Amino acid sequence: MSKKALKTIVDSENDYLVQAKGNQPSLLKALKETAETQEPISIYESSEKSRGRNEFCKVMLFKPIDNIPPGWPKLNSIICVQRIATRKGKISNEKSFYISSLISQEAELFAKGIRGHWSIENRLHWVKDVMQNEDKAAIKKGNGIENLSIFRNIAINITRGVGYD
């Protein structure tokens, strides 16, 4: 998300919690550096077993330090999420970094917000990718992709409306 979009959120007296990605390399580098050199002010850990996968999640909360590039509006919290997942004997270990304007001393609060976003993403994209084979669509020209996506969303809404998840 751009600095301008975050400023709009802050100007409307709301808070943001967004993931830092590779398109902001200096920010991402500073967040990694913060997590490597500071002690977290709070840690929240959880474990879950779902769809044949065991997942351990550790959410660490940090306060911003001087290494953060300027211009990130009201940046009050840095969050590092480490996920270790095991599926069919294979282990994956990944870290994600987030920034937030919210002031809190509790990593659990951020963990719930991040997990809530993941569930929304997974609930929609899993249905589209696995159940509707969206990635294998043969239509590649014109408005066909957008139109087909609209029809898929309508189908999902109808299905959920009659009680199927």
Side-chain angles (χ1 to χ4, degrees), residues 144-164:
I145 294 169
E146 290 85 0
N147 292 337
L148 204 52
S149 180
I150 291 167
F151 286 126
R152 285 190 177 101
N153 288 339
I154 292 169
I156 290 169
N157 290 333
I158 291 170
T159 305
R160 289 187 177 150
V162 295
Y164 293 95

Side-chain angles (χ1 to χ4, degrees), residues 34 37 40 54 59 65 67 78 92 96 100 104 107 121 125 142 156:
T34 300
T37 60
N54 293 322
V59 178
I65 56 176
N67 68 339
I78 294 172
S92 67
S96 301
S100 180
S104 176
E121 284 281 317
H125 293 292
I156 290 169

Side-chain angles (χ1 to χ4, degrees), residues 16-157:
Y16 62 83
L17 171 61
V18 297
Q19 185 174 4
K21 297 192 177 184
N23 62 343
Q24 296 289 346
S26 57
L27 174 64
L28 193 55
K29 180 182 176 201
L31 299 179
K32 288 177 182 178
E33 196 176 280
T34 300
E36 291 169 0
T37 60
Q38 278 194 51
E39 286 295 317
I41 59 170
S42 177
I43 297 174
Y44 177 76
E45 297 177 341
S46 64
S47 295
E48 139 178 337
K49 185 175 184 174
S50 165
R51 293 189 179 134
R53 181 170 94 166
N54 293 322
E55 182 178 276
F56 169 76
C57 188
K58 182 177 182 179
V59 178
M60 297 162 280
L61 176 62
F62 301 90
K63 287 294 167 199
I65 56 176
D66 294 339
N67 68 339
I68 304 298
W72 294 98
K74 202 178 163 192
L75 197 160
N76 291 312
S77 299
I78 294 172
I79 304 94
C80 174
V81 178
Q82 180 178 20
R83 294 188 314 162
I84 302 170
T86 307
R87 179 182 221 145
K88 296 180 182 177
K90 294 182 181 176
I91 298 173
S92 67
N93 185 348
E94 61 183 52
K95 284 186 180 178
S96 301
F97 295 89
Y98 297 80
I99 59 172
S100 180
S101 59
L102 195 63
I103 298 172
S104 176
Q105 302 293 313
E106 297 298 322
E108 183 177 5
L109 175 70
F110 295 101
K112 288 180 179 178
I114 292 165
R115 188 69 179 163
H117 177 72
W118 285 342
S119 68
I120 291 167
E121 284 281 317
N122 291 339
R123 189 168 177 238
L124 177 61
H125 293 292
W126 183 83
V127 170
K128 285 186 162 190
D129 293 344
V130 176
M131 301 303 295
Q132 296 180 335
N133 289 318
E134 185 176 55
D135 291 340
K136 296 178 183 172
I139 299 171
K140 303 291 181 198
K141 293 183 180 180
N143 294 327
I145 294 169
E146 290 85 0
N147 292 337
L148 204 52
S149 180
I150 291 167
F151 286 126
R152 285 190 177 101
N153 288 339
I154 292 169
I156 290 169
N157 290 333

